[in-house]
Amino acid sequence: MALVGLGGSLFWIIESTTWDEVDTELTGVAQAITSTIHPPRRSSGGRRPPPPTPIPRTYRRRIDNGELYYLIWDRDQNIVEKVNTEQKFVYPKDRESIQTDTPFKIQKEIEREIIIRGPRARLILVGRNIEKEKKALDQLKFNIISIGVGILTLGLLGGWWISRRVTRPIDSMSQTAEEISGFQFDQRIETKTAGPELARLGKVLNAAFDRLEQALHQQTQFTADASHELRTPLSVILTQVESSLKRVRTEEEYQQTLEACQRAALRMNALVNDLLMLARSDVKQLQLQKQEVDLKELILEVLQLLEPLIQEKNAKIDFDSDSLRIEIDPKRFLQVLTNLVQNALIHNPEGLSIKIYLTQLESSAKITVSDDGVGIPDEERSKIFDRFQRVDQARNRKTGGSGLGLAITKSIVEAHGGEIACLPHAPKGTTFEVSVPSIKNNTE
Amino acid sequence: MRILIVEDEPDLIDALSRTLREEGYAVDTAEDGEEGLYKAKTWDYDAILLDIMLPKLDGLGLLEELRKSKATPVLLLTARDTVDDRVQGLDSGADDYLVKPFELSELLARLRALIRRSTGTASPQINIGEVTIDTASKSILKEGEEVNLTAREYALVEMLALNRGKLVTRTTLYEHLFDENEDSLSNLMDVYVSNVRKKLGKDFITTKRGQGYLISV
């Protein structure tokens, strides 16, 4: 629109200037002709009117060339003089408005004329052919329109190109994002070709995709591990039953088959319970039945529970502590402590010693379980709280562990608002530290 | 046919070895990867059933080590069922792959196919004169009539038939027909051979004195 306006006004200015020039010229000629007319003779004396002056030579020549034409009417509307034209002219209707200084302008098809008032109420019309000017103006109009169209096209193309440049990275981002939402997680947004702002956005999105991919991978891995753990006892049941049904068996054989099936079913049951518990803790639905408990009593209970295993492993237990009262879910915490001590017993050779102590800190209680056993390699230590993570893949099978023990331990501690850490124990072995916030005045 | 089962689940080993013995196989077992590798390298098994998750040395590690010296047919038994797991298993040198839980009938069929392929026999039926041996149903027909053989007798015939035209030494026969827990009494083989001759004909098995036995082409 602005372009059309600009072109229009430019044209209008040039056009009016052109006609103004023509009019000025014509007016000059008309005035020169006026001065050739004799003024009226005044009967009542007075000054003598100035003598008529001849038309200047430049105008004279143009009139002689036929470039200009003119016409003079007297006050009775008769044509007194008509030079260089054969046209028919009509006497202007509004005679009074025509003055000496302000010419009356007439625009015809190919001529432009002006009329001024001369002495003795004569009207002088001067005109000339303006085909040349019209042609020039038409040419100008054409040029302006062409340039306008050119600029417009260029603008549109440029705009399209710029917008393409801007939107291409966005398009590619959306495309990548769509592909990723279709579970093609190996795709990433190309950040090299985008502008700096978009590149930053792309990097942020890529980082988010990385985390998403990792989370999804962990989820997939967890599901695969869980189904693997369930399949093993399931295959025991199926194979035992199928083998048993192949022919008639003795009572003793049936008994053995049923016992094997029972063991497998119990294992599946334990695993399903563990999985359910983790699922609940994942959605923060782990119900805690908190009450005030003496941690010392709880640990003594754990040691009593594990007494057969302690004896079997010929382990030395070092535990001597004052009472430490704290508000926790005793059943869940029994599981935490049993898990830690049992792990130390299972994963270490006979004759190990386990040291347990309680520390009252300013706002929390700390339980430390250390052993002087084989220890856990640094690279494994960060992963031991992961689900189905085992330092030795099969060592747990004999003990019935599912590989979820420490993951569950951690989720219980965290449900209590506490923390658990695994540290190397000097000079050898492993230390687990559990800290739980203590709200009340715990010491006796 | 002698099979090695490497599996750390005692209840699964029990059921598998019972069934395989009833099918006429001699069965050895190992409960961890190292024991499994030792046995696999020591004896010429006709096939190995191998679990992947094993203590001490996992199944794929065992397989890799075994393939350096032996081409014993290996059937992987595992609860891992993704395509990647299967590909990895087969690429490690396994001949077949069965996902737990499986049906015993499928396991037995795959085992038969595995042994058949390893001896270069494509068809489950072997024809020797008037005698037809069906390795799928483990039955033997003579002139169209089914002949009753014990599992051990059948195993002897199958072993010789699969190696038709070749001399099979007594040691080889012992190694393939008896498991590690059986006392290989030297005259036990003669008893089986004589029983088979009574049932299938005097010339069905040829004795190479002091060397072994063979079934002629």
Side-chain angles (χ1 to χ4, degrees), chain A residues 313-424:
Chain A
K313 281 281 184 171
N314 195 18
K316 185 173 156 280
I317 307 289
D318 180 0
F319 174 61
D320 181 23
S321 171
D322 293 331
S323 289
L324 181 52
R325 299 194 75 79
I326 187 171
E327 199 167 279
I328 46 170
D329 181 332
K331 217 173 127 195
R332 302 266 192 225
F333 235 80
L334 188 74
Q335 197 178 349
V336 168
L337 298 171
T338 309
N339 226 326
L340 293 180
V341 179
Q342 195 177 24
N343 271 347
L345 288 167
I346 289 169
H347 295 295
N348 290 307
E350 284 182 24
L352 80 156
S353 62
I354 298 174
K355 207 170 174 178
I356 306 168
Y357 44 94
L358 303 174
T359 324
Q360 171 68 60
L361 299 172
E362 201 168 314
S363 61
S364 64
K366 194 164 86 176
I367 307 151
T368 312
V369 179
S370 301
D371 66 63
D372 62 349
V374 290
I376 299 169
D378 288 346
E379 65 272 16
E380 303 281 352
R381 201 174 304 118
S382 58
K383 294 191 284 183
I384 56 166
F385 294 109
D386 292 353
R387 290 157 195 200
F388 294 118
Q389 194 63 44
R390 292 168 179 155
V391 178
D392 178 343
Q393 286 287 13
R395 195 152 43 170
N396 269 339
R397 187 159 290 180
K398 281 199 181 98
T399 61
S402 60
L404 292 172
L406 280 174
I408 288 173
T409 301
K410 188 178 185 216
S411 73
I412 293 174
V413 172
E414 284 177 352
H416 280 85
E419 282 175 6
I420 185 165
C422 175
L423 312 162

Side-chain angles (χ1 to χ4, degrees), chain A residues 228 240 242-243 249 263 397, chain B residues 8 11 19 22 79 104:
Chain A
H228 174 258
Q240 281 281 350
E242 208 183 330
S243 167
R249 305 287 177 186
R263 282 191 291 273
R397 187 159 290 180
Chain B
D8 65 335
D11 287 335
T19 307
E22 283 165 8
L104 267 178

Side-chain angles (χ1 to χ4, degrees), chain A residues 167-177 188-190 193:
Chain A
T167 56
R168 200 185 313 138
I170 298 176
D171 279 350
S172 111
M173 274 186 191
S174 331
Q175 201 186 339
T176 312
R188 284 295 178 272
I189 290 166
E190 176 61 59
T193 54

Side-chain angles (χ1 to χ4, degrees), chain B residues 46-146:
Chain B
D46 294 288
I48 298 173
L49 298 182
L50 182 61
D51 186 16
I52 289 184
M53 290 244 294
L54 289 168
K56 293 182 186 172
L57 174 67
D58 75 10
L60 297 181
L62 187 160
L63 197 52
E64 206 175 306
E65 200 55 40
L66 178 69
R67 283 289 176 258
K68 288 179 183 166
S69 55
K70 284 199 163 182
T72 316
V74 170
L75 172 54
L76 281 179
L77 287 182
T78 170
R80 299 230 166 251
D81 72 331
T82 66
V83 174
D84 283 349
D85 290 325
R86 290 163 197 250
V87 169
Q88 202 193 355
L90 293 171
D91 280 349
S92 304
D95 298 271
D96 203 353
Y97 195 105
L98 195 56
V99 176
K100 289 179 188 172
F102 47 82
E103 291 203 26
L104 267 178
S105 51
E106 186 181 356
L107 173 78
L108 293 172
R110 283 179 185 268
L111 199 56
R112 286 194 294 270
L114 206 58
I115 293 169
R116 202 164 66 225
R117 277 202 302 273
S118 72
T119 55
T121 317
S123 160
Q125 286 200 348
I126 307 168
N127 293 305
I128 299 162
E130 300 163 329
V131 177
T132 302
I133 301 159
D134 188 343
T135 57
S137 62
K138 294 201 178 282
S139 61
I140 294 183
L141 299 176
K142 192 186 178 197
E143 293 166 343
E145 301 262 328
E146 180 154 359

Side-chain angles (χ1 to χ4, degrees), chain B residues 160 166-171 173 197 205-214:
Chain B
L160 291 171
K166 284 180 239 162
L167 177 79
V168 183
T169 64
R170 288 174 69 90
T171 320
L173 280 175
R197 281 191 177 132
I205 297 175
T206 315
T207 309
K208 294 271 174 189
R209 193 153 297 281
Q211 297 178 50
Y213 303 95
L214 75 100

